[in-house]
Amino acid sequence: MNKILLSLILLISTSVIFHSKAQAQKADNGNFFNTVVNNHNQIFEMSCIPSVVEMVLKYYKVVDFDFYDLQNEWQNKMDGSFRDFDKKELYGITFSQQFVLPRDATFPIDSLFQTIENELKAEKKVIISLPSDTGWHMFVICEQTPDGEFVSYSKLGTHTLILRNTKEIVRKSNGTEIMTYSIHN
């Protein structure tokens, strides 16, 4: 009886320790595309915002690859924005909406690009809103190329979208909003 009780306590404490360590781990040493994007889908036509948030959560291994709770709750919400996730803590990660400014000639594009670069240097990803054929679509900026361009990934259903000219798109649209995040262990 004591051996069973000791084994049960050991099993429970091991799973608690494993879960707390998983909160700070990144997927496959940062291989965001192969690990997260290939195993993720945008399941509703209008769920791109929660979809990219789920991709960040999956990257940090705080949720499983079959996690679609945010999209299932959101579904085809038409009036959603980054504001829905601003200052929201999910699984030890707090998201922050930034650069909520008019998209015009006064938009601080250089400051936006510097913020993105700083996040990437800190080994984080940045969620960004970019114009698309139907309005706006959300992407996750994952890397900066040697020539300074940002590479962004997203999903549209099961189809993977990759943009290698993110800066050019932002300049043409006179700026955009981003979401950054902080991790709490």
Side-chain angles (χ1 to χ4, degrees):
M1 181 70 160
N2 284 343
K3 281 186 175 184
I4 294 173
L5 184 60
L6 180 61
S7 296
L8 186 59
I9 291 170
L10 202 63
L11 180 67
I12 291 170
S13 64
T14 302
S15 67
V16 168
I17 290 167
F18 176 77
H19 178 72
S20 64
K21 286 184 179 178
Q23 289 187 3
Q25 289 182 336
K26 296 177 202 161
D28 285 349
N29 297 322
N31 192 340
F32 189 85
F33 179 77
N34 287 330
T35 309
V36 177
V37 179
N38 281 341
N39 292 294
H40 184 74
N41 295 312
Q42 181 182 323
I43 57 177
F44 297 97
E45 186 178 342
M46 301 300 294
S47 66
C48 60
I49 294 172
S51 175
V52 291
V53 170
E54 288 172 350
M55 289 186 349
V56 169
L57 296 174
K58 290 175 181 184
Y59 173 69
Y60 284 98
K61 296 183 177 182
V62 296
V63 297
D64 294 327
F65 282 130
D66 62 355
F67 177 83
Y68 291 97
D69 293 6
L70 302 177
Q71 289 187 73
N72 283 323
E73 181 180 327
W74 185 285
Q75 295 194 12
N76 280 313
K77 180 177 176 172
M78 298 289 288
D79 62 346
S81 72
F82 284 168
R83 179 178 50 253
D84 292 291
F85 288 95
D86 187 35
K87 297 177 181 50
K88 190 168 188 173
E89 190 265 321
L90 298 165
Y91 304 93
I93 299 174
T94 301
F95 293 86
S96 300
Q97 178 184 25
Q98 294 190 46
F99 293 91
V100 186
L101 302 165
R103 293 177 177 122
D104 59 24
T106 65
F107 189 93
I109 288 180
D110 291 339
S111 179
L112 171 74
F113 290 161
Q114 188 61 57
T115 299
I116 295 169
E117 285 181 24
N118 291 344
E119 292 297 305
L120 294 174
K121 286 177 185 171
E123 298 184 1
K124 294 182 182 175
K125 309 303 178 202
V126 177
I127 296 172
I128 189 166
S129 177
L130 297 172
S132 70
D133 294 338
T134 58
W136 295 85
H137 191 74
M138 306 313 131
F139 288 80
V140 179
I141 300 173
C142 296
E143 62 186 283
Q144 188 169 20
T145 63
D147 68 353
E149 187 54 82
F150 299 130
V151 181
S152 303
Y153 298 96
S154 190
K155 295 296 275 207
L156 192 55
T158 59
H159 182 72
T160 299
L161 306 173
I162 305 171
L163 297 177
R164 300 183 191 284
N165 63 334
T166 306
K167 282 185 173 181
E168 175 187 340
I169 294 167
V170 171
R171 282 189 187 99
K172 285 181 180 177
S173 61
N174 289 317
T176 191
E177 295 176 36
I178 62 171
M179 271 201 310
T180 58
Y181 55 87
S182 57
I183 302 167
H184 313 283
N185 287 342

